[in-house]
Amino acid sequence: MQCTHCGATLNPSDRFCPSCGTPVEQPKTCPQCGAPVDDSMRFCMNCGARLPEVNEGGAAAEPTQETATENATVAEPTAEGPAAGEVSAEPAAEQSDESSTESSAESTAAESSAQSDSPEQALPDAAVVADANEPEPAASDQPQSSQQPEAATPVPQSESPTQILTPVSQPQTAFTTPMPALPPDPATQQQAPIVPPVTPGSVPPAPVAPGTGSQPPKKPRKWLVPVIIAVVVVLIAAGVGIWWWMSRSNSSTEASASPSASASASASTSPSSKQSATKKAEKKSCTASPDATLTDVSSSGTNLIATLSLDDSACGSEQYKESNIRVNIKDYDGDVIAAAVFDFAKKPISFDDGEATLALAFTSKQYWMPVDEIDSTSSMEVVWQTGQKPNGKAAANVASALGGANISSDDAERYAQLALTNQLDHDRSDASDFYDHYTTQLSSKKYGMQVDGKTWKYSDIYEQFLNIKQKHPNALLIWASDYSNYTKNGNPSDYYVILSGESFSSEDDAQSWCSTNGYSSDDCMAVDLE
């Protein structure tokens, strides 16, 4: 131990330097464990107890209740620490030399920096120690005396909030003039949270963001969704109610319109508007059945050409474009003598001021009266039927006449049977001329007969008669049972017989006519009806 003024060797019991008389500074110790401390230390490096604060006059401040509580936790004393109770109560002597003043200023600056940078300043329950690797500044002209451990660097809160570092003892050559410790910042102590101690083996709690704190989780607002749904339903119901009320109000307003307004509107309608509306109505209604009259009939080969006059004021000057129209021509007895299904969409009927002329072509399967026997067109009736189903494809057009499709087979068979009966009645008187003259027989058929690769029906028999009639205009149709020539030998006589109607004086002349017209003996023979 040496004198700080003259460097003379001192004994531990010396109170004054025997050489220069300078008072000897006694080393300060921890009041708890007696370990050496200095004025720059706030906690004992040996036991971690808070050291008494030194006022500006050098006197130690009274320990507070917080300091006494912290001092209750004592770490194990180190081997080099002196006995407790050796802390000097004497005030530190003022140093007159310049080096002591500079050392004291540097110590104060280092402590202020440690207090502002260390997060442990705000934790009153954690033991904070000074950096063991940073030596205290000493005067260059003063000898080093006793050894003193220095404080370790404070542990940041994020690494280990409550761990107390074991002090590291390093030799210190000399004590410097102690500087009064800065008091803790009250604002820092109030804002810092208190970190609870962590027991060995447990996981430290996760840090809490500043300002958030530990708040209980908010419970979900389960009532919010039903309330929103109820509000939406109420709004929809209200909207529907308003719409219904407004609609009813508008209907009442329209119904209560004055008759004078209606009359005025009717009176203000111009004639041109009426004509336009009429034309539109006529244009839309040009789909009905027109009134048709048979004005002329002619033949083209085996086809019947019927010319009709049409009258339909609803069509005006429009076109008639309907499909599946069945046109029937009836005789004075009401029997159908011609019928076919036509498609006017392919060849529309052009009306001119509600009138039109139409030519229709009927094949030998579609009419049941010889053309030359239709002597009075004024007695014929034309029936127009819509929505009729055709039986097969339409026949080809004949010049400007539109061809049509066949009607149903049942209707055609019925009309042919009736036509055969009517033809027998019509030709009976002419057939009587051949009781004393010869003629030629060209065909003999009955219903259900199988010949020429088909089973003959009424429609087939009558079609054959029309074809022969077209080639030989004098041809006649007779029923064989009505004449003795066919019954006298006891042969079956239920046949429709077609005669050429040509008269001959001898059998040879008749047979010669057959050869001349290209008939074989199987298809043509001389007969008399006697």
Side-chain angles (χ1 to χ4, degrees), residues 101-178:
T101 305
E102 293 174 358
S103 174
S104 181
E106 292 175 1
S107 175
T108 304
E111 182 177 354
S112 300
S113 177
Q115 290 180 358
S116 61
D117 296 337
S118 174
E120 295 298 329
Q121 177 68 23
L123 302 176
D125 293 339
V128 181
V129 294
D131 189 0
N133 298 323
E134 183 180 356
E136 289 288 337
S140 60
D141 57 343
Q142 291 184 359
Q144 301 290 332
S145 60
S146 61
Q147 296 181 354
Q148 175 111 5
E150 289 211 12
T153 302
V155 179
Q157 182 179 356
S158 62
E159 296 179 2
S160 178
T162 58
Q163 182 179 1
I164 300 176
L165 298 178
T166 305
V168 179
S169 299
Q170 291 184 356
Q172 187 163 347
T173 57
F175 284 99
T176 60
T177 304

Side-chain angles (χ1 to χ4, degrees), residues 289-297 305-313 327-329 344 349-360 362 377-378 380-384:
S289 301
D291 296 331
T293 303
L294 180 63
T295 59
D296 185 45
V297 291
I305 307 300
T307 303
L308 306 180
S309 175
L310 305 180
D311 185 6
D312 191 348
S313 59
V327 179
N328 305 276
I329 300 177
F344 296 111
I349 304 173
S350 297
F351 280 84
D352 183 11
D353 197 17
E355 296 180 353
T357 300
L358 176 65
L360 301 178
F362 298 87
T377 57
S378 60
M380 300 295 174
E381 179 185 4
V382 178
V383 178
W384 199 279

Side-chain angles (χ1 to χ4, degrees), residues 23-49:
V24 178
E25 293 182 358
Q26 296 295 329
K28 295 183 180 181
T29 59
C30 175
Q32 185 69 26
C33 65
V37 298
D38 56 40
D39 293 337
S40 64
M41 299 170 59
R42 297 185 60 191
F43 298 92
C44 176
M45 296 181 61
N46 186 38
C47 64

Side-chain angles (χ1 to χ4, degrees), residues 251-270:
S251 299
S252 301
T253 304
E254 293 176 358
S256 61
S258 61
S260 60
S262 301
S264 177
S266 300
S268 62
T269 304
S270 61

Side-chain angles (χ1 to χ4, degrees), residues 60-90:
E62 291 295 331
T64 61
Q65 182 178 1
E66 180 182 359
T67 305
T69 303
E70 293 178 356
N71 292 340
T73 305
V74 181
E76 293 182 6
T78 61
E80 297 179 2
E86 295 184 3
V87 179
S88 173
E90 295 182 3

Side-chain angles (χ1 to χ4, degrees), residues 225-288:
V225 174
V227 169
I228 293 176
I229 294 176
V231 171
V232 172
V233 171
V234 170
L235 291 176
I236 293 175
V240 172
I242 294 173
W243 173 81
W244 176 83
W245 181 81
M246 294 181 66
S247 299
R248 185 178 180 183
S249 177
N250 293 337
S251 299
S252 301
T253 304
E254 293 176 358
S256 61
S258 61
S260 60
S262 301
S264 177
S266 300
S268 62
T269 304
S270 61
S272 60
S273 300
K274 291 182 178 180
Q275 293 177 359
S276 177
T278 303
K279 288 182 178 181
K280 290 181 178 180
E282 292 176 353
K283 182 177 181 180
K284 291 182 179 179
S285 60
C286 189
T287 58

Side-chain angles (χ1 to χ4, degrees), residues 254-480:
E254 293 176 358
S256 61
S258 61
S260 60
S262 301
S264 177
S266 300
S268 62
T269 304
S270 61
S272 60
S273 300
K274 291 182 178 180
Q275 293 177 359
S276 177
T278 303
K279 288 182 178 181
K280 290 181 178 180
E282 292 176 353
K283 182 177 181 180
K284 291 182 179 179
S285 60
C286 189
T287 58
S289 301
D291 296 331
T293 303
L294 180 63
T295 59
D296 185 45
V297 291
S298 61
S299 63
S300 176
T302 59
N303 296 299
L304 168 68
I305 307 300
T307 303
L308 306 180
S309 175
L310 305 180
D311 185 6
D312 191 348
S313 59
C315 288
S317 297
E318 302 297 329
Q319 289 185 333
Y320 186 89
K321 302 179 180 181
E322 295 299 304
S323 301
N324 300 331
I325 303 299
R326 174 172 165 174
V327 179
N328 305 276
I329 300 177
K330 295 183 178 182
D331 64 2
Y332 47 85
D333 291 329
D335 297 331
V336 176
I337 61 172
V341 179
F342 298 91
D343 185 3
F344 296 111
K346 294 182 178 180
K347 187 177 180 180
I349 304 173
S350 297
F351 280 84
D352 183 11
D353 197 17
E355 296 180 353
T357 300
L358 176 65
L360 301 178
F362 298 87
T363 67
S364 58
K365 288 182 175 291
Q366 298 170 351
Y367 69 98
W368 302 273
M369 179 177 285
V371 176
D372 58 354
E373 295 180 10
I374 305 175
D375 53 357
S376 177
T377 57
S378 60
S379 61
M380 300 295 174
E381 179 185 4
V382 178
V383 178
W384 199 279
Q385 291 179 290
T386 60
Q388 301 298 307
K389 185 177 180 180
N391 182 15
K393 295 182 179 181
N397 297 341
V398 179
S400 61
L402 178 65
N406 295 336
I407 62 174
S408 65
S409 299
D410 293 340
D411 287 349
E413 193 70 10
R414 180 163 53 90
Y415 299 152
Q417 183 183 14
L418 182 60
L420 289 171
T421 302
N422 292 334
Q423 194 66 39
L424 293 175
D425 294 339
H426 181 272
D427 294 343
R428 182 174 285 109
S429 60
D430 292 337
S432 62
D433 293 343
F434 300 105
Y435 284 114
D436 52 0
H437 291 86
Y438 285 94
T439 188
T440 53
Q441 175 181 316
L442 300 178
S443 175
S444 176
K445 300 289 189 302
K446 68 176 181 179
Y447 182 85
M449 181 180 182
Q450 293 184 357
V451 66
D452 297 334
K454 67 177 181 180
T455 302
W456 287 72
K457 297 181 180 180
Y458 295 121
S459 57
D460 299 324
I461 298 171
Y462 194 80
E463 181 183 5
Q464 187 185 37
F465 169 74
L466 290 177
N467 291 334
I468 294 176
K469 182 75 172 177
Q470 188 272 334
K471 188 176 181 180
H472 306 288
N474 295 326
L476 303 174
L477 181 68
I478 63 174
W479 182 247

